[in-house]
């Protein structure tokens, strides 16, 4: 009986250790059931606090269809087209050049305008991006993100990016 009592005490202690304390936060699970949730998760994942590890690129990759395409404005007159892996590699190279792990990086959603029809969605996003300890004002940009619902959740199919300027101000849909 002593052995059974000791075993029972160990099992009770183990069970208590596995139960979350009252008020303890549950781990955040991304909302992949809505196009807006997938887009919010993408922006959350690419942000890095100073001193924190780099983004979890496998989790970022899991938001996209493998054949996704990303087109980014790189200058006044030029854009670059990337495969998903090419875009991730380019983002990693930027993070290394800008020493993001030291400074931190934020890309936050200012406004989203979703359009959803059945299993397709297009979301126009006004965002601000910045190195966290920089004196420069955040850079504003516009992402057009297309998604498809497949296998019970939403997936990013493409992202096309552009930057507003004096000749091309923000679209009214994002400033209202």
């Amino acid at each position: 009986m002593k052995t059974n009592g000791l075993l029972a005490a160990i099992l009770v202690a183990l069970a208590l250790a596995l139960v979350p304390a009252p008020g303890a936060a549950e781990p955040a699970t991304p909302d992949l059931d809505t196009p807006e949730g997938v887009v919010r998760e993408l922006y959350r994942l690419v942000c890095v606090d100073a001193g924190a590890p780099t983004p979890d690129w496998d989790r970022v990759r899991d938001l996209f269809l493998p054949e996704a395409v990303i087109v980014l404005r790189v200058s006044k007159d030029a854009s670059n087209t990337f495969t998903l892996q090419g875009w991730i590699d380019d983002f990693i190279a930027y993070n290394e050049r800008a020493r993001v792990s030291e400074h931190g990086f934020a890309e936050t959603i200012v406004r989203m305008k979703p359009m959803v029809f059945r299993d397709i969605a297009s979301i126009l996003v006004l965002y601000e991006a910045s190195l966290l300890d920089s004196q420069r004002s955040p850079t504003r940009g516009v992402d057009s993100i297309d998604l498809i619902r497949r296998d019970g959740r939403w997936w990013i199919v493409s992202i096309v990016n552009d930057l507003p300027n004096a000749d091309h101000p923000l679209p009214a849909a994002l400033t209202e």
Side-chain angles (χ1 to χ4, degrees):
M1 279 300 191
K2 277 189 169 187
T3 305
N4 286 344
L6 180 59
L7 182 58
I10 290 172
L11 290 175
V12 168
L14 189 60
L16 289 174
L18 295 175
V19 173
E26 291 288 318
T29 56
D31 171 17
L32 304 180
D33 295 333
T34 66
E36 298 91 335
V38 172
V39 170
R40 280 189 206 94
E41 181 66 0
L42 172 63
Y43 283 83
R44 187 188 73 74
L45 285 171
V46 299
C47 293
V48 178
D49 289 329
T54 61
D56 182 342
W57 295 112
D58 287 334
R59 288 189 64 199
V60 170
R61 194 177 284 107
D62 287 342
L63 299 176
F64 291 81
L65 286 180
E67 59 273 15
V69 175
I70 296 92
V71 181
L72 304 178
R73 170 74 62 193
V74 293
S75 74
K76 181 179 165 187
D77 300 316
S79 299
N80 278 352
T81 302
F82 297 95
T83 63
L84 174 57
Q85 188 58 50
W87 174 73
I88 290 172
D89 292 343
D90 188 66
F91 216 131
I92 290 169
Y94 167 78
N95 284 354
E96 289 171 0
R97 279 191 318 274
R99 298 186 351 236
V100 165
S101 61
E102 293 173 36
H103 303 288
F105 173 79
E107 190 165 352
T108 57
I109 297 170
V110 175
R111 187 166 287 115
M112 268 198 295
K113 292 291 182 176
M115 293 186 326
V116 180
F117 175 73
R118 293 181 42 127
D119 291 331
I120 62 172
S122 184
I123 300 181
L124 206 55
V125 176
L126 170 60
Y127 68 87
E128 289 185 345
S130 62
L131 291 173
L132 296 179
D133 67 356
S134 175
Q135 300 300 326
R136 292 180 55 191
S137 296
T139 300
R140 281 190 156 199
V142 175
D143 286 337
S144 176
I145 303 174
D146 291 319
L147 301 97
I148 188 168
R149 184 175 20 217
R150 187 183 286 170
D151 301 325
R153 61 158 281 203
W154 289 91
W155 302 86
I156 298 171
V157 175
S158 67
I159 300 175
V160 179
N161 164 272
D162 210 339
L163 302 173
N165 60 37
D167 295 330
H168 301 94
L170 290 170
L174 291 175
T175 60
E176 299 170 344

